[in-house]
Amino acid sequence: MTGIICGTGSYAPSYVMDNNEIATMVETSDEWIKERTGVATRHIIKDETTVSMACEAAKRALDDGGVRAEEVELIIVSTISSNIILPCTACEVQKELGAVNATCFDMSAACSGFVLAYNTALAYLSGGVYRTALIIGSESLSNLTNWKDRGTCILFGDGAGAAVMRAGEGRVYLPVTHSDGAKGKALTCLSRHTSIAAERMTDPEYYMQMDGQAVFKFAVKKVPEVISEVLTKNHVEKEEITWYIMHQANSRIVEGVAKRLDEPIEKFPMNLQEYGNTSSASIAILLDEMKRDGRLKSGQKIVIAGFGAGLTWGAAVMEWI
Ligand code: UT7
């Protein structure tokens, strides 16, 4: 028994912020942002919330998979930017969908979140604990972005992606994941839900702070390593892989990973041009786009790979059905 993705969905806020708009807030330019990151636009919430985007992406995934809400036995939402702490975002999704038979919890693993949600659901489904799972990445990173910091505000965007997984016959590919808490300082954000004085809430440490170069170097080194590790572990040759669906952080990171793996860049789809970095939503949004436009075909082997704050990183292999 394994876990098989049978439906995908995504949601992006209708408001689109381009690089020129960012250049009105910080000293930067469309040219610099495109050249150093690949990002041209990002979707930013206006009326949406992390919960509402998660619900919409989830509904679309259920529709796509032909799965009824009552069939869902597990809902995992990966997020670092929910508008609510209690109840958890996954319980709000359950309520909205009417997924009355689901066990629900949130997961906080930043940009590795969707890979970890997938792995967790896979373990439950392949272990026979549940038969149907819904995994969602939903982020309103604009709420955690310091719009005065040009080292970070150029990168991030908002959105949500979801996948429905069913237990079914097939091979279980074992994932590989790692964490290095000792290097956590590279990307931080203090919680605003502490007993701090209201006037301190605007301090930069209550927004995402990043050592961009450190994260960049970490990603370009560790992601190819973990991809090689997951392929070796599962006795899969890289020639068998049709797509490497990576967390969408920076086009130069994706290119660097392709180069180190000695794989053609065409195997590394990107949509960060439009969305920026949507943390745990990025892989799910890309999967959904690729399913809808027909790039994902039955029998293809796919690698998903995430990396980010923690530091955390990991990869999984799956066969598209
Ligand atoms: O989801 C995982 C989390 N994050 C990431 O994966 C991000 C990883 N890091 C990155 O993507 C890149 O490090 C950044 C895009 C954040 C920065 O790009 P970089 O090529 O590493 O730039 P840098 O920090 O080395 O700065 C190069 C120059 C500096 O000027 P000088 O000292 O050479 O004169 C910066 O002051 O570019 C300057 N700079 C900018 N200029 C225009 C830095 N940010 C900007 C900016 N616009 N936004």
Side-chain angles (χ1 to χ4, degrees):
M1 194 69 79
T2 187
I4 298 160
I5 293 181
C6 64
T8 60
S10 61
Y11 179 87
S14 55
Y15 180 67
V16 175
M17 184 186 282
D18 66 16
N19 291 340
N20 290 324
E21 188 173 346
I22 297 216
T24 65
M25 298 183 250
V26 291
E27 203 182 323
T28 190
S29 66
D30 177 50
E31 192 189 2
W32 193 95
I33 301 172
K34 279 186 183 149
E35 191 186 309
R36 304 306 291 168
T37 71
V39 179
T41 60
R42 66 287 290 145
H43 295 255
I44 301 289
I45 54 168
K46 286 285 183 202
D47 300 323
E48 300 90 345
T49 64
T50 297
V51 169
S52 73
M53 294 191 294
C55 290
E56 196 50 46
K59 281 180 196 164
R60 293 175 185 184
L62 290 183
D63 272 358
D64 182 53
V67 173
R68 287 180 296 112
E70 308 80 57
E71 294 176 76
V72 176
E73 294 176 325
L74 173 68
I75 301 177
I76 305 174
V77 175
S78 171
T79 184
I80 54 163
S81 53
S82 191
N83 45 308
I84 53 172
I85 294 181
L86 296 174
C88 68
T89 301
C91 278
E92 287 292 289
V93 172
Q94 174 193 35
K95 181 177 73 181
E96 176 70 18
L97 298 179
V100 289
N101 297 310
T103 292
C104 306
F105 59 88
D106 290 358
M107 183 176 259
S108 170
C111 306
S112 301
F114 190 76
V115 175
L116 287 165
Y118 172 82
N119 294 347
T120 306
L122 179 68
Y124 277 117
L125 296 172
S126 59
V129 181
Y130 301 120
R131 286 158 299 177
T132 307
L134 183 53
I135 54 173
I136 304 163
S138 184
E139 303 287 6
S140 309
L141 297 179
S142 57
N143 284 335
L144 303 180
T145 297
N146 178 353
W147 292 100
K148 293 177 183 155
D149 174 16
R150 69 176 184 172
T152 52
C153 75
I154 54 164
L155 288 172
F156 298 107
D158 301 334
V164 198
M165 295 172 71
R166 292 259 206 207
E169 290 309 315
R171 181 175 161 193
V172 179
Y173 293 93
L174 297 175
V176 178
T177 50
H178 298 286
S179 304
D180 185 357
K183 298 210 172 70
K185 271 197 295 195
L187 183 40
T188 59
C189 182
L190 288 187
S191 167
R192 282 176 236 171
H193 304 283
T194 51
S195 56
I196 53 163
E199 64 271 16
R200 283 204 54 214
M201 293 264 191
T202 52
D203 287 358
E205 63 261 42
Y206 295 100
Y207 295 92
M208 287 184 285
Q209 290 187 311
M210 181 173 69
D211 179 344
Q213 285 192 8
V215 178
F216 191 100
K217 283 181 194 152
F218 144 74
V220 171
K221 181 171 187 306
K222 294 296 185 185
V223 176
E225 281 177 15
V226 79
I227 290 176
S228 297
E229 212 180 331
V230 84
L231 294 180
T232 306
K233 187 171 187 171
N234 291 288
H235 309 288
V236 173
E237 300 297 326
K238 60 184 187 180
E239 291 72 25
E240 295 175 55
I241 302 299
T242 309
W243 303 114
Y244 296 93
I245 303 182
M246 273 180 58
H247 166 51
Q248 301 288 293
N250 182 322
S251 55
R252 288 189 298 128
I253 293 179
V254 179
E255 286 155 10
V257 171
K259 200 168 170 201
R260 285 206 183 198
L261 283 171
D262 195 21
E263 281 282 78
I265 190 67
E266 292 72 27
K267 285 184 164 189
F268 293 74
M270 287 188 243
N271 64 2
L272 58 86
Q273 304 85 326
E274 176 183 344
Y275 297 93
N277 176 345
T278 57
S279 192
S280 67
S282 74
I283 292 173
I285 295 173
L286 186 49
L287 266 178
D288 181 47
E289 281 190 357
M290 294 178 69
K291 182 167 190 290
R292 282 188 286 116
D293 69 22
R295 273 179 286 175
L296 294 180
K297 295 190 173 62
S298 179
Q300 289 176 341
K301 284 197 185 76
I302 293 164
V303 167
I304 57 172
F307 60 90
L311 298 173
T312 58
W313 64 106
V317 190
M318 67 179 84
E319 209 166 308
W320 202 254
I321 302 296

